[in-house]
Short mmCIF file of all heavy atoms in Angstrom, two decimals:
data_model
loop_
_atom_site.label_atom_id
_atom_site.label_comp_id
_atom_site.label_asym_id
_atom_site.label_seq_id
_atom_site.Cartn_x
_atom_site.Cartn_y
_atom_site.Cartn_z
N LYS A 32 -7.11 -14.58 -5.58
CA LYS A 32 -6.63 -13.75 -6.70
C LYS A 32 -5.45 -12.83 -6.31
O LYS A 32 -4.51 -12.64 -7.09
CB LYS A 32 -7.76 -12.82 -7.25
CG LYS A 32 -8.70 -13.58 -8.12
CD LYS A 32 -9.59 -12.65 -8.82
CE LYS A 32 -10.45 -13.30 -9.97
NZ LYS A 32 -11.26 -12.41 -10.70
N ALA A 33 -5.43 -12.24 -5.12
CA ALA A 33 -4.41 -11.37 -4.57
C ALA A 33 -3.15 -12.11 -4.44
O ALA A 33 -2.02 -11.66 -4.78
CB ALA A 33 -4.80 -10.74 -3.29
N ARG A 34 -3.11 -13.45 -3.98
CA ARG A 34 -1.97 -14.20 -3.93
C ARG A 34 -1.37 -14.44 -5.21
O ARG A 34 -0.07 -14.41 -5.38
CB ARG A 34 -2.23 -15.45 -3.19
CG ARG A 34 -2.58 -15.33 -1.72
CD ARG A 34 -2.39 -16.60 -0.88
NE ARG A 34 -2.84 -17.81 -1.43
CZ ARG A 34 -4.11 -18.27 -1.33
NH1 ARG A 34 -4.97 -17.61 -0.56
NH2 ARG A 34 -4.45 -19.46 -1.89
N ALA A 35 -2.21 -14.79 -6.24
CA ALA A 35 -1.68 -15.10 -7.55
C ALA A 35 -0.97 -13.84 -8.20
O ALA A 35 0.11 -14.05 -8.77
CB ALA A 35 -2.89 -15.56 -8.48
N ILE A 36 -1.53 -12.66 -8.05
CA ILE A 36 -0.97 -11.43 -8.51
C ILE A 36 0.35 -11.18 -7.81
O ILE A 36 1.39 -10.77 -8.48
CB ILE A 36 -1.91 -10.25 -8.35
CG1 ILE A 36 -3.19 -10.43 -9.24
CG2 ILE A 36 -1.27 -8.88 -8.79
CD1 ILE A 36 -4.26 -9.43 -8.89
N SER A 37 0.39 -11.39 -6.52
CA SER A 37 1.56 -11.13 -5.73
C SER A 37 2.67 -12.08 -6.16
O SER A 37 3.86 -11.74 -6.17
CB SER A 37 1.28 -11.34 -4.18
OG SER A 37 0.38 -10.33 -3.76
N MET A 38 2.33 -13.31 -6.47
CA MET A 38 3.41 -14.31 -7.00
C MET A 38 3.95 -13.85 -8.29
O MET A 38 5.18 -13.90 -8.56
CB MET A 38 2.75 -15.67 -7.07
CG MET A 38 3.76 -16.74 -7.15
SD MET A 38 4.70 -16.99 -5.60
CE MET A 38 6.39 -16.65 -6.11
N ASP A 39 3.08 -13.28 -9.15
CA ASP A 39 3.62 -12.75 -10.50
C ASP A 39 4.46 -11.55 -10.24
O ASP A 39 5.50 -11.41 -10.88
CB ASP A 39 2.39 -12.42 -11.36
CG ASP A 39 1.66 -13.57 -11.93
OD1 ASP A 39 2.18 -14.70 -12.04
OD2 ASP A 39 0.51 -13.42 -12.33
N LEU A 40 4.14 -10.79 -9.24
CA LEU A 40 4.85 -9.58 -8.88
C LEU A 40 6.26 -9.98 -8.45
O LEU A 40 7.26 -9.37 -8.70
CB LEU A 40 4.18 -8.76 -7.90
CG LEU A 40 4.82 -7.45 -7.47
CD1 LEU A 40 5.15 -6.61 -8.61
CD2 LEU A 40 3.85 -6.70 -6.49
N LEU A 41 6.36 -11.01 -7.59
CA LEU A 41 7.56 -11.57 -7.07
C LEU A 41 8.53 -11.97 -8.25
O LEU A 41 9.74 -11.77 -8.22
CB LEU A 41 7.41 -12.64 -6.03
CG LEU A 41 7.04 -12.21 -4.66
CD1 LEU A 41 6.78 -13.46 -3.82
CD2 LEU A 41 8.05 -11.26 -4.07
N SER A 42 7.93 -12.67 -9.18
CA SER A 42 8.74 -13.10 -10.33
C SER A 42 9.34 -11.98 -11.14
O SER A 42 10.52 -11.96 -11.47
CB SER A 42 7.83 -13.93 -11.25
OG SER A 42 7.47 -15.14 -10.69
N ALA A 43 8.50 -10.85 -11.30
CA ALA A 43 8.98 -9.79 -11.95
C ALA A 43 10.08 -8.98 -11.14
O ALA A 43 11.02 -8.43 -11.67
CB ALA A 43 7.85 -8.77 -12.25
N LEU A 44 9.85 -8.96 -9.81
CA LEU A 44 10.78 -8.31 -8.93
C LEU A 44 12.16 -9.06 -8.99
O LEU A 44 13.23 -8.41 -8.99
CB LEU A 44 10.27 -8.23 -7.57
CG LEU A 44 11.17 -7.52 -6.50
CD1 LEU A 44 11.45 -6.10 -6.80
CD2 LEU A 44 10.56 -7.69 -5.10
N ALA A 45 12.14 -10.48 -8.99
CA ALA A 45 13.35 -11.16 -9.11
C ALA A 45 14.12 -10.78 -10.32
O ALA A 45 15.33 -10.58 -10.20
CB ALA A 45 13.00 -12.61 -9.09
N ARG A 46 13.44 -10.67 -11.44
CA ARG A 46 14.12 -10.24 -12.69
C ARG A 46 14.70 -8.88 -12.54
O ARG A 46 15.86 -8.58 -12.96
CB ARG A 46 13.20 -10.32 -13.87
CG ARG A 46 12.80 -11.71 -14.30
CD ARG A 46 12.10 -11.64 -15.69
NE ARG A 46 10.86 -10.99 -15.64
CZ ARG A 46 9.70 -11.55 -15.46
NH1 ARG A 46 9.67 -12.85 -15.31
NH2 ARG A 46 8.53 -10.85 -15.48
N ALA A 47 13.91 -7.94 -11.93
CA ALA A 47 14.36 -6.58 -11.83
C ALA A 47 15.64 -6.40 -10.90
O ALA A 47 16.37 -5.49 -11.18
CB ALA A 47 13.18 -5.73 -11.21
N ILE A 48 15.79 -7.35 -9.93
CA ILE A 48 16.97 -7.10 -9.04
C ILE A 48 18.07 -8.13 -9.38
O ILE A 48 19.04 -8.19 -8.69
CB ILE A 48 16.56 -7.22 -7.55
CG1 ILE A 48 16.05 -8.67 -7.22
CG2 ILE A 48 15.56 -6.20 -7.16
CD1 ILE A 48 15.80 -9.02 -5.78
N GLY A 49 17.97 -8.83 -10.55
CA GLY A 49 19.05 -9.58 -11.06
C GLY A 49 19.07 -11.03 -10.68
O GLY A 49 20.12 -11.68 -10.80
N GLU A 50 17.89 -11.52 -10.17
CA GLU A 50 17.86 -12.92 -9.84
C GLU A 50 17.00 -13.64 -10.96
O GLU A 50 16.29 -12.97 -11.63
CB GLU A 50 17.14 -13.06 -8.47
CG GLU A 50 17.90 -12.52 -7.23
CD GLU A 50 19.22 -13.10 -6.96
OE1 GLU A 50 19.34 -14.35 -7.39
OE2 GLU A 50 20.12 -12.52 -6.34
N PRO A 51 17.05 -15.02 -11.00
CA PRO A 51 16.21 -15.66 -11.98
C PRO A 51 14.79 -15.47 -11.64
O PRO A 51 14.37 -15.29 -10.52
CB PRO A 51 16.63 -17.17 -11.73
CG PRO A 51 17.95 -17.08 -11.13
CD PRO A 51 18.01 -15.90 -10.28
N ALA A 52 13.92 -15.35 -12.70
CA ALA A 52 12.44 -15.19 -12.51
C ALA A 52 11.81 -16.15 -11.58
O ALA A 52 10.86 -15.90 -10.86
CB ALA A 52 11.77 -15.10 -13.84
N SER A 53 12.37 -17.40 -11.59
CA SER A 53 11.88 -18.57 -10.78
C SER A 53 12.34 -18.52 -9.30
O SER A 53 12.11 -19.46 -8.62
CB SER A 53 12.18 -19.84 -11.47
OG SER A 53 13.63 -20.04 -11.53
N PHE A 54 13.19 -17.54 -8.98
CA PHE A 54 13.89 -17.57 -7.69
C PHE A 54 13.03 -17.83 -6.47
O PHE A 54 13.23 -18.64 -5.53
CB PHE A 54 14.64 -16.25 -7.42
CG PHE A 54 15.46 -16.29 -6.11
CD1 PHE A 54 16.64 -16.91 -6.08
CD2 PHE A 54 14.96 -15.62 -4.99
CE1 PHE A 54 17.34 -16.94 -4.80
CE2 PHE A 54 15.57 -15.61 -3.78
CZ PHE A 54 16.82 -16.34 -3.74
N PHE A 55 11.77 -17.16 -6.52
CA PHE A 55 10.88 -17.32 -5.35
C PHE A 55 9.85 -18.40 -5.40
O PHE A 55 9.14 -18.61 -4.46
CB PHE A 55 10.12 -15.91 -5.15
CG PHE A 55 11.04 -14.82 -4.80
CD1 PHE A 55 11.33 -13.75 -5.75
CD2 PHE A 55 11.67 -14.71 -3.61
CE1 PHE A 55 12.11 -12.74 -5.49
CE2 PHE A 55 12.49 -13.60 -3.27
CZ PHE A 55 12.73 -12.66 -4.21
N GLU A 56 9.73 -19.03 -6.49
CA GLU A 56 8.58 -20.01 -6.81
C GLU A 56 8.50 -21.09 -5.78
O GLU A 56 7.46 -21.32 -5.16
CB GLU A 56 8.74 -20.57 -8.14
CG GLU A 56 8.35 -19.66 -9.31
CD GLU A 56 8.44 -20.30 -10.65
OE1 GLU A 56 8.64 -21.49 -10.73
OE2 GLU A 56 8.24 -19.67 -11.63
N ASP A 57 9.57 -21.78 -5.45
CA ASP A 57 9.50 -22.90 -4.53
C ASP A 57 9.45 -22.54 -3.05
O ASP A 57 9.34 -23.34 -2.15
CB ASP A 57 10.62 -23.93 -4.83
CG ASP A 57 11.93 -23.31 -4.55
OD1 ASP A 57 12.08 -22.03 -4.51
OD2 ASP A 57 13.01 -24.06 -4.38
N LYS A 58 9.62 -21.18 -2.87
CA LYS A 58 9.76 -20.67 -1.54
C LYS A 58 8.41 -20.13 -1.07
O LYS A 58 8.23 -19.70 0.05
CB LYS A 58 10.77 -19.53 -1.48
CG LYS A 58 12.20 -20.10 -1.86
CD LYS A 58 13.15 -18.94 -2.01
CE LYS A 58 14.49 -19.45 -2.38
NZ LYS A 58 14.50 -19.99 -3.75
N PHE A 59 7.38 -20.15 -1.93
CA PHE A 59 6.02 -19.57 -1.62
C PHE A 59 4.91 -20.61 -2.00
O PHE A 59 3.82 -20.20 -2.24
CB PHE A 59 5.78 -18.33 -2.41
CG PHE A 59 6.53 -17.07 -1.79
CD1 PHE A 59 7.81 -16.89 -2.06
CD2 PHE A 59 5.87 -16.12 -1.04
CE1 PHE A 59 8.44 -15.76 -1.58
CE2 PHE A 59 6.41 -15.03 -0.51
CZ PHE A 59 7.80 -14.85 -0.71
N ASP A 60 5.23 -21.94 -2.05
CA ASP A 60 4.16 -22.89 -2.28
C ASP A 60 3.22 -23.09 -1.23
O ASP A 60 2.09 -23.57 -1.29
CB ASP A 60 4.77 -24.19 -2.94
CG ASP A 60 5.85 -24.75 -1.97
OD1 ASP A 60 5.94 -24.43 -0.82
OD2 ASP A 60 6.58 -25.62 -2.60
N THR A 61 3.60 -22.85 0.10
CA THR A 61 2.77 -22.81 1.27
C THR A 61 3.06 -21.63 2.04
O THR A 61 3.61 -21.75 3.19
CB THR A 61 3.01 -24.17 2.13
OG1 THR A 61 3.06 -25.32 1.28
CG2 THR A 61 1.91 -24.28 3.23
N PRO A 62 2.70 -20.51 1.53
CA PRO A 62 3.20 -19.21 2.10
C PRO A 62 2.53 -18.86 3.38
O PRO A 62 1.43 -19.25 3.67
CB PRO A 62 2.78 -18.11 1.02
CG PRO A 62 1.51 -18.77 0.38
CD PRO A 62 1.82 -20.28 0.35
#
């Protein structure tokens, strides 16, 4: 559960700093 929340948080952070919301998705599939 904590990993899933953290992934959602990264998507939000990407938007907040001006990157696409999907920027981190393929970089955390085997974190």
Side-chain angles (χ1 to χ4, degrees):
K32 282 194 172 184
R34 293 202 312 273
I36 297 168
S37 296
M38 198 67 241
D39 288 341
L40 181 56
L41 282 176
S42 295
L44 180 64
R46 288 193 295 266
I48 64 173
E50 299 294 338
S53 60
F54 180 82
F55 295 109
E56 285 181 5
D57 63 344
K58 302 168 181 66
F59 283 79
D60 51 18
T61 311

